């Protein structure tokens, strides 16, 4: 599902660089830690923490995403172990890890299967960091209404699962939170490409309807434009979970 | 491929240790007669994507 988003992923809301520095300070990371990125995808979160830990391991179910991560790691000379596997099948011997990170994995993973494995793989005083790259803007509800119209079969309900829901009933609870924000200007064309970078509306799924989708989205956004641009506030949020 | 990583990977079905066949870029589970591919240094640890091995192939590993 996520692999189709690869060509347009760079248009999505980014993880703001300061987020990794602040998270490393708050966790804290000292440089000797082993990090596991759960459902790592193209490895964006793991790579953000590369300067702050001693080893990176990434697990994901989609091979094209892992291949993209491997290419990035090669290009930037980053050492990472990548495993194409279900999280629940990762051998306990792969651990223990000091820190586990997740992007939006909590939307898709089966908490009942995955959390016991995380518990087994995490050191006693280890921490889990759920990282969410998002944005706030007056036009955002309209933007998503258009996406919903064009992708009614997408499991939108999964997006309502917040990290707190995911870990509910487990041994883990939120112990800290990080929020980094920055204003950002975008064009309607940019937002069309961002929509192609979402799993609900990748260009390859829209096929020959992509240009009609683009026109529909631009028209819906036009009332929010000022001098051809739209304003948003990029936001990277991190929830740190520790054992109770 | 990091040898340390290969040492700790196990068969996702039976949790048995795996045999690394470097020339074929595969990880073998003798118990389940499955060969897990390593694609571009990424081990594919999914049973439904593993290659079923013949008994003769497994026998040759002994």
């Amino acid at each position: 599902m996520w692999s189709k988003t690869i060509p347009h992923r760079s248009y999505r809301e980014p993880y703001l660089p300061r987020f990794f520095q602040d998270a490393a300070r708050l966790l804290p990371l000292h440089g000797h830690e082993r990090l596991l990125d759960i459902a790592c995808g193209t490895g964006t979160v793991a790579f953000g923490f590369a300067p702050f830990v001693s080893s990176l391991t990434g697990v994901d179910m989609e091979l094209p995403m892992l291949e993209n991560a491997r290419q990035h790691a090669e290009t930037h000379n980053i050492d990472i172990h990548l495993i194409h596997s279900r999280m629940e099948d990762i051998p306990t011997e792969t651990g223990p890890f000091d820190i586990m990170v997740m992007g939006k994995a909590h939307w898709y993973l089966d908490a009942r299967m995955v959390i016991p494995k995380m518990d087994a793989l995490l050191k006693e005083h280890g921490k889990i960091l759920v990282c969410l790259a998002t944005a706030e803007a007056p036009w955002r509800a309209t933007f998503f209404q258009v996406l919903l119209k064009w992708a009614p079969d997408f499991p939108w309900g999964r997006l309502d699962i917040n990290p707190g829901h995911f870990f509910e009933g487990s041994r883990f609870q939120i112990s800290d939170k990080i929020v980094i924000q920055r204003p950002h200007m975008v064009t309607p064309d940019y937002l069309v490409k961002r929509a192609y970078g979402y799993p609900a509306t990748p260009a390859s799924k829209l096929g020959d309807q992509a240009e009609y989708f683009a026109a529909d989205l631009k028209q819906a956004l036009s009332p929010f434009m000022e001098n051809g641009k739209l304003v948003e506030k990029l936001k990277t949020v991190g929830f740190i979970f520790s054992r109770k | 491929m990091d040898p340390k990583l290969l040492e700790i990977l196990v068969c996702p079905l039976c949790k048995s240790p795996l045999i690394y066949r470097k020339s074929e870029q595969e990880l073998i589970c003798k118990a389940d007669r499955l060969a897990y591919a390593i694609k571009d240094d990424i081990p594919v640890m999914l049973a439904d994507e593993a290659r079923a091995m013949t008994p003769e192939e497994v026998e040759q590993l002994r």
Side-chain angles (χ1 to χ4, degrees):
Chain A
M1 179 169 68
W2 291 91
S3 306
K4 290 177 179 173
T5 67
I6 289 175
H8 295 95
R9 288 181 73 82
S10 60
Y11 295 94
R12 287 167 46 168
E13 302 86 344
Y15 290 100
L16 297 172
R18 220 188 85 206
F19 170 77
F20 298 104
Q21 294 166 21
D22 284 15
R25 194 166 50 240
L26 192 62
L27 280 163
L29 297 174
H30 303 288
H32 56 74
E33 288 84 2
R34 299 187 68 221
L35 179 146
L36 174 67
D37 189 343
I38 297 165
C40 66
T42 57
T44 312
V45 176
F47 295 141
F49 284 108
F52 307 106
V53 298
S54 68
S55 86
L56 302 172
T57 302
V59 181
D60 200 273
M61 275 291 289
E62 293 195 40
L63 192 56
M65 305 285 275
L66 291 168
E67 284 168 346
N68 189 285
R70 188 187 57 76
Q71 285 166 12
H72 180 97
E74 263 181 27
T75 306
H76 295 85
N77 202 23
I78 300 171
D79 198 16
I80 184 168
H81 299 147
L82 295 167
I83 308 172
H84 184 203
S85 172
R86 291 178 183 85
M87 178 57 199
E88 52 268 36
D89 288 339
I90 292 296
T92 308
E93 291 75 10
T94 319
F97 292 95
D98 303 276
I99 174 83
M100 292 184 183
V101 295
M102 304 164 60
K104 298 177 170 89
H106 62 284
W107 286 346
Y108 301 98
L109 294 176
D110 183 339
R112 291 164 304 171
M113 300 286 280
V114 170
I115 293 174
K117 177 60 74 170
M118 293 172 76
D119 205 2
L121 284 167
L122 189 67
K123 281 187 183 172
E124 189 185 346
H125 297 292
K127 289 177 181 167
I128 299 165
L129 175 65
V130 182
C131 314
L132 302 174
T134 182
E136 289 175 359
W139 47 264
R140 237 172 122 80
T142 304
F143 175 85
F144 280 103
Q145 275 165 14
V146 176
L147 268 61
L148 176 64
K149 187 172 85 180
W150 282 80
D153 299 333
F154 184 77
W156 293 99
R158 305 286 305 172
L159 278 55
D160 293 333
I161 301 170
N162 67 41
H165 293 149
F166 184 80
F167 286 102
E168 209 166 62
S170 78
R171 295 177 64 198
F172 298 101
Q173 65 182 5
I174 294 175
S175 56
D176 237 318
K177 187 180 171 184
I178 309 159
V179 182
I180 306 291
Q181 300 179 111
R182 194 188 76 191
H184 188 225
M185 299 281 272
V186 284
T187 63
D189 283 322
Y190 190 100
L191 290 175
V192 168
K193 289 173 183 163
R194 180 180 288 175
Y196 293 159
Y198 288 164
T201 49
S204 60
K205 185 181 163 195
L206 292 162
D208 56 10
Q209 296 295 300
E211 62 179 295
Y212 300 107
F213 166 78
D216 195 13
L217 187 57
K218 285 184 202 176
Q219 189 182 13
L221 294 171
S222 60
F224 300 95
M225 281 200 294
E226 278 179 40
N227 302 321
K229 298 265 175 97
L230 297 110
V231 183
E232 67 180 346
K233 186 163 65 181
L234 293 175
K235 202 171 169 185
T236 308
V237 184
F239 297 92
I240 298 174
F241 285 82
S242 308
R243 287 192 179 92
K244 290 173 189 169
Chain B
M1 194 71 230
D2 187 338
K4 282 183 191 164
L5 177 63
L6 296 181
E7 278 172 24
I8 53 179
L9 290 177
V10 296
C11 173
L13 289 182
C14 67
K15 312 300 178 198
S16 298
L18 301 166
I19 299 167
Y20 175 40
R21 288 212 296 187
K22 193 175 179 182
S23 54
E24 284 82 6
Q25 284 296 289
E26 286 181 334
L27 293 163
I28 310 296
C29 174
K30 285 166 71 172
D32 289 314
R33 297 210 308 254
L34 289 174
Y36 296 93
I38 300 173
K39 296 180 181 172
D40 291 330
D41 280 353
I42 303 167
V44 180
M45 305 310 301
L46 302 173
D48 47 7
E49 291 190 20
R51 180 177 68 82
M53 299 173 75
T54 63
E56 292 74 26
E57 265 187 293
V58 176
E59 191 58 36
Q60 283 173 4
L61 294 170
R62 292 182 198 280

